[in-house]
Every structure is written in structure tokens, then in C-alpha cells.
Amino acid sequence: MTKRDDRQLELPLQQAPKLKVIQGLGQRTIEPLADRDAVARVLIEAGADLLLRRISSVRAEAIEQAVDEVLALFDQVDRTPALMPVLQRKLDDLEALARETRDQRSQRRRR
């Protein structure tokens, strides 16, 4: 087994950009789906996984559909706050789908 390189790149934006290697923790942090940006990142992650053939097109489409539904609910909640419980339930469902996808992906990598 090869040793994992947990270093990350840091890009300071003063003067001329220079890359510097910094020590990372080696794992992504999984953020709760609390806003539109976090939901959009789930879609981006699924797109990357699809391009790298780590997930099927069926799963990517399921994630895309769930993201579209959640983003539409964010807009509806802005107009009708009483829909917040529906949005929260859909966010929980999307988070579970994303977690399941990550778990399946990591299990395949271990094989």
C-alpha cells in the first residue's frame, strides 16, 4: 500500500500568485446541506463522479432531479415560509442520497 500524500496547494493572492504546499488532513469535510451553494456542490460532485465513471448515469440523474427539486423549494420557501418543513425533508433526503453515493464510491475504491 502506498503512503497517501495529504499535502494541499495554497494560492496567496498578493502580488504575483505563487503556489505553496501546505499540510492537509487528507479528507474532505462533508458539510450539511443548509443553503443553495451546498446543494449546488452536491450536483457538481455528482457531475465529477459521473465524468470519472465512479457513479452511474442513473444515480447522477437521480441526484440532479433531487437537486432541482430542492433548489425550486428554496425559491418557494422565500415566498411561502410555511413550506420550510417540506424543504427540510427534501434536504435530508438529498443528504442521505449523497452520503449513500459517497459510501458506495469509497467501497468500490477499496476493492
Side-chain angles (χ1 to χ4, degrees), residues 28-96:
R28 287 186 44 203
T29 56
I30 305 300
E31 63 182 315
L33 300 181
D35 59 18
R36 289 173 175 90
D37 290 342
V39 171
R41 281 189 283 276
V42 170
L43 183 61
I44 293 167
E45 180 181 350
D49 287 342
L50 179 64
L51 287 172
L52 295 171
R53 297 180 183 210
R54 294 189 292 205
I55 64 172
S56 69
S57 60
V58 173
R59 181 164 290 271
E61 287 175 23
I63 292 170
E64 180 182 13
Q65 185 176 19
V67 166
D68 288 345
E69 191 174 342
V70 167
L71 291 175
L73 275 168
F74 268 114
D75 294 338
Q76 291 174 13
V77 166
D78 288 344
R79 292 186 302 273
T80 312
L83 291 174
M84 188 60 185
V86 176
L87 173 60
Q88 189 58 56
R89 188 170 56 249
K90 293 294 184 177
L91 283 168
D92 292 343
D93 292 347
L94 177 59
E95 196 163 353

